Every structure is written in structure tokens, then in C-alpha cells.
Amino acid sequence: MFFTKTHNFNSPVAKADLKKRLMGSHVKIHNLDFEIIERDGELLIVPHAEQEEAIKTLPITHVDMTEKGSQTNVKVTSKMRKVDSGGPQLLMIFCFFIFVAAFILRYVGGDWNVTFILLGADTLIFGFFLYRLQKGYFDYVRKVRAYVVGKGDAYTASGTNVHAQVAI
């Protein structure tokens, strides 16, 4: 819901070839292994966090491919694992209630100082929460997406990227 990111791009690589490039491979991000598997015709990029002792919020990424002419439309959707979603959702609800309480307190005749302290604390908590999400969960999302986009780039026979060639 709040933590779902979707990215669409067109790849010049055929669907079957792109699927073959991605299937069965492992992605190593921040010393954490992500495996690419196929389920119900859709590719899933799933983290292997069984040995991980630190608490981490990790994404499960769905890669949906449809062919349109000579190109493949690729939709990469990353969602937070259900196991990890409880803490961030509780924190967002907590921040929302502090925000509402500050305004209710102000409109029923409360002190401005208390209102500003509540709003400041709410902003500080929410800002730290967003910072941690950007350094953790969304960093994994960005790197998994970059991996899929990199596999979808067209390469010539010499191994150079066709899109990176610059006309002089």
C-alpha cells in the first residue's frame, strides 16, 4: 500500500530472452542474496534472509513482462514482505495520531507550545523513519530494479551497450 513501488520500462530484448537472462540467477545486494524464481508465469525476486540476525525490512519484487511488437513492456513491482510490514505501519499510524492530536489540542483551546512540541516530535520521528526506509528498504528496491533494467538493456555482439553509444 504505502510501501509499494512500481516501475515500467520498455526493453528491446524479447520476452523469452529476458526471462532466460533473469531466471535462476542470484543477486547479491549488501551481502544479502536475492533469488529469481518463476511462479504462475511471473518472475519473483525473493530475499534469502533466513540466516540474517539483524531486523531488516525487505522487498519481494514481481516482474511482469508483456510483448508489444518488437519490444517487451516490463513492469517491476516491489512490495514489502508481510512479515516486515507490521512495524512500519504501526509507526505511520502512531505519527498520524500524534499529528491529529496536536491539531485537536490546538482547536479545543490548548497551548501553542504543546502543539508545536507534538508537531516537532512527530516530524522528527517521521523524518527519522523515512531516512531509515531510504537507507534500507527503498535502497534494496532501487538496486533490484536497476538489476532488472540492466538485464533488459540491448547489447551488441561486441558487448557494448547500444543505448550508451554517443553520436559525435
Side-chain angles (χ1 to χ4, degrees):
M1 182 164 91
F2 292 115
F3 307 108
T4 301
K5 291 288 184 182
T6 301
H7 179 72
N8 293 314
F9 69 96
N10 290 323
S11 173
V13 179
K15 179 181 176 179
D17 190 32
L18 182 58
K19 191 179 259 189
K20 188 171 63 172
R21 287 183 185 188
L22 291 170
M23 277 299 298
S25 61
H26 289 263
V27 183
K28 195 100 166 154
I29 301 172
H30 299 300
N31 294 326
L32 188 63
D33 188 39
F34 286 79
E35 184 179 6
I36 302 174
I37 58 174
E38 183 175 10
R39 186 183 315 155
D40 300 330
E42 186 177 57
L43 294 180
L44 294 175
I45 303 175
V46 182
H48 284 286
E50 294 85 20
Q51 303 89 295
E52 196 64 38
E53 294 179 13
I55 298 173
K56 292 189 177 188
T57 305
L58 300 169
I60 292 178
T61 305
H62 300 263
V63 181
D64 188 27
M65 297 176 275
T66 55
E67 274 192 306
K68 290 189 178 178
S70 64
Q71 291 193 339
T72 303
N73 184 17
V74 182
K75 181 179 179 182
V76 181
T77 305
S78 295
K79 297 178 182 178
M80 190 176 291
R81 297 186 308 172
K82 290 185 194 279
V83 172
D84 299 334
S85 66
Q89 287 179 348
L90 279 175
L91 192 63
M92 287 193 56
I93 291 169
F94 177 71
C95 287
F96 176 74
F97 280 132
I98 290 177
F99 185 78
V100 169
F103 278 100
I104 288 174
L105 183 66
R106 179 61 203 132
Y107 284 115
V108 295
D111 187 19
W112 273 105
N113 292 336
V114 175
T115 301
F116 285 136
I117 289 172
L118 283 175
L119 287 175
D122 186 44
T123 303
L124 187 68
I125 292 168
F126 194 69
F128 182 70
F129 170 65
L130 286 179
Y131 172 75
R132 291 290 306 238
L133 276 178
Q134 288 296 328
K135 291 300 235 178
Y137 172 74
F138 289 119
D139 189 40
Y140 285 113
V141 170
R142 285 188 296 270
K143 289 185 177 177
V144 167
R145 182 185 67 210
Y147 177 78
V148 173
V149 170
K151 291 291 185 177
D153 278 343
Y155 289 91
T156 61
S158 65
T160 59
N161 189 341
V162 173
H163 298 294
Q165 293 177 356
V166 179
I168 298 176

